Amino acid sequence: MRVEGRPLTPALPYGLAIEAYGDDLQIVEPADRSFAGRLVLPFLAGRELRMFDLDVPSSGNFTALDLEKLWEAGRDLASWRSRLALTSPEDAYAEPEAIGRTRILADWHALELCAFEAKRLLNSWPMRIGRELRWVPVGIGGGFEDLGYTEREVTRVGYLSQHEGNTAVTRSARWFGRGERITLSAVSSLALEVAGLVQTTLGDGDRRALSRITGPINHVGLLAAAPPHQADPDPSSWPPAFTRFAAACMRVLTELLARQRGDQAVPLLDTDELFEAWLAVTVRDRVSERLELAASVSEGAIASWETDAMTIDLLVKPAIGRATEIGQDNFRALVASTLLPDVVVTATRGDFTEVAVLDAKAWAKMLPEDVLSESAKYLYGIRRVGSDRVPAITSVHIVSCAARPQIPSADDAKIGFVHATPTAGETDMKIAIDDVLAALASAVEHREQEASLLT
């Protein structure tokens, strides 16, 4: 991965890191995430900012077509959530009408994060203090006090006093001189590159609407510009505020520039997050094939269906804490302060609610003990409030792009494993979802029968 010039890598977006590997460089992923696609990295050729593309292969078992479908699933889930956000209690906006298309930024969050870091930088711009050192009597103001230098040198320069056995510092080291804003050509170039890209991406109306977001970014670009003769220090010595802003700019450029490389280019994807989105969309579509959508969506769900006087709800990453209401029951997390299962399907009839969990794992490999530990987290880590009956949920299905490990039949343990990706395992996914629906209905009927015997 060689480029002419100096890569700007004080920090990469998404928690990635870049490290030397022999005479080359390599991208290192965070331990808990997995990425694939195209990363656009800026580098300095002299004082000119340029970009180069780095293709990051999937560390999971995803093909190029899988990555495209994962991206589509992420957009699908986002649009589905947006549609629900526009739904009033009277469903006045439940059927939005498409009135046309417009070129918009594909990732608003990345731009908002960049603007947030720009505002933070503007509010506390790093300063280069004056370099004239003076020893000033303690208690008299002025200058910038250097406590470290004072501690190291105060004995040598003789500004310690003894009184009744106590030692006191009589003077402290202070730096005086005109403070100056630190400037970095690279940061200025990144900010202006982002602002310019927004200008060419949006129409006039959208640019005006986004001026509050793009304004701070453009302002940083102007303030950070260094004099022509001044060279930037190595990125490793940049103040944290500059590093954070540079990483936010790089994320915007990564996600927007990659899309300008043509229809075949896939931007850098968080495959873990999008595999979860794909699972949610797949479950939604399969249940919709079998059941009729309900007239209204239950609170907290992204979709609801009706069948046999039961309401089936689909929840995406619900936060289960000390007391979380799901349907007609309250659940609590036992093994952590909060549990976040990727996909939850519930069945509610009358006063009874049953819950099933489907958890997505974009892992290249899963061992039998991985399947058991990930399943146990929900089977034995979730309880109904007021009851210690185990398990409190009907089943856990682990859905992974990894090959199926050698695990014994786990039907009695209420554990399922499905090997599937967007382009493989469709039949197994359908069977698993059908099994979930059947198990939920059976569990509701069983609880109704238990309640009737008690009465």
Side-chain angles (χ1 to χ4, degrees), residues 118-130 177-185 216 219-227 230 232-233 239 241-242:
K119 291 176 182 177
R120 285 216 297 182
L121 179 56
L122 291 170
N123 289 335
S124 56
W125 196 283
M127 302 291 289
R128 183 179 290 108
I129 62 174
R178 179 172 170 267
E180 296 179 354
R181 290 176 176 269
I182 296 177
T183 56
L184 293 171
S185 296
H219 194 190
V220 168
L222 299 176
L223 288 180
Q230 180 176 309
D232 285 349
F242 282 119

Side-chain angles (χ1 to χ4, degrees), residues 317-371:
K317 298 187 83 68
I320 301 176
R322 292 184 177 180
T324 302
E325 184 177 350
I326 300 178
Q328 295 298 314
D329 269 311
N330 283 300
F331 293 84
R332 62 188 176 96
L334 187 68
V335 297
S337 58
T338 303
L339 285 175
L340 287 169
D342 295 329
V343 176
V344 168
V345 181
T346 70
T348 300
R349 183 160 62 194
D351 296 330
F352 303 105
T353 294
E354 289 294 325
V355 172
V357 169
L358 295 98
D359 215 44
K361 297 298 176 187
W363 295 6
K365 182 179 181 181
M366 289 199 77
L367 300 174
E369 53 267 33
D370 296 328
V371 177

Side-chain angles (χ1 to χ4, degrees), residues 118 122 210-220:
L122 291 170
L210 282 177
S211 60
R212 66 177 182 83
I213 295 179
T214 58
I217 299 172
N218 193 64
H219 194 190
V220 168

Side-chain angles (χ1 to χ4, degrees), residues 351-425:
D351 296 330
F352 303 105
T353 294
E354 289 294 325
V355 172
V357 169
L358 295 98
D359 215 44
K361 297 298 176 187
W363 295 6
K365 182 179 181 181
M366 289 199 77
L367 300 174
E369 53 267 33
D370 296 328
V371 177
L372 295 177
S373 63
E374 293 299 319
S375 301
K377 180 170 59 177
Y378 302 111
L379 282 173
Y380 302 102
I382 296 177
R383 298 283 195 277
R384 282 188 170 85
V385 173
S387 172
D388 287 326
R389 183 175 178 177
V390 179
I393 62 179
T394 63
S395 64
V396 174
H397 281 75
I398 301 297
V399 181
S400 178
C401 61
R404 180 183 179 87
Q406 295 297 319
I407 55 176
S409 175
D411 292 341
D412 294 338
K414 301 187 176 183
I415 297 172
F417 182 90
V418 184
H419 165 69
T421 70
T423 60

Side-chain angles (χ1 to χ4, degrees), residues 108-248:
W108 296 99
H109 178 69
L111 188 64
E112 289 176 338
L113 174 64
C114 189
F116 172 77
E117 293 297 347
K119 291 176 182 177
R120 285 216 297 182
L121 179 56
L122 291 170
N123 289 335
S124 56
W125 196 283
M127 302 291 289
R128 183 179 290 108
I129 62 174
R131 304 310 298 167
E132 180 187 348
L133 182 65
R134 301 179 194 170
W135 288 89
V136 179
V138 173
I140 296 178
F144 183 87
E145 188 169 22
D146 191 333
L147 293 177
Y149 189 85
T150 299
E151 291 176 357
R152 291 193 305 270
E153 300 293 327
V154 67
T155 302
R156 184 184 63 81
V157 296
Y159 291 124
L160 285 178
S161 68
Q162 300 287 336
H163 180 67
E164 296 182 353
N166 295 321
T167 302
V169 176
T170 60
R171 291 176 179 249
S172 63
R174 316 277 182 88
W175 295 101
F176 287 83
R178 179 172 170 267
E180 296 179 354
R181 290 176 176 269
I182 296 177
T183 56
L184 293 171
S185 296
V187 169
S188 174
S189 298
L190 282 170
L192 295 177
E193 186 78 21
V194 170
L197 189 60
V198 170
Q199 290 293 317
T200 59
T201 301
L202 300 178
D204 292 339
D206 292 325
R207 282 198 294 269
R208 286 192 295 271
L210 282 177
S211 60
R212 66 177 182 83
I213 295 179
T214 58
I217 299 172
N218 193 64
H219 194 190
V220 168
L222 299 176
L223 288 180
H229 62 277
Q230 180 176 309
D232 285 349
D234 188 85
S236 62
S237 65
W238 290 4
F242 282 119
T243 299
R244 289 192 302 266
F245 177 71

Side-chain angles (χ1 to χ4, degrees), residues 236-256:
S236 62
S237 65
W238 290 4
F242 282 119
T243 299
R244 289 192 302 266
F245 177 71
C249 287
M250 290 162 67
R251 175 167 178 171
V252 176
L253 295 173
T254 293
E255 299 191 358
L256 296 183

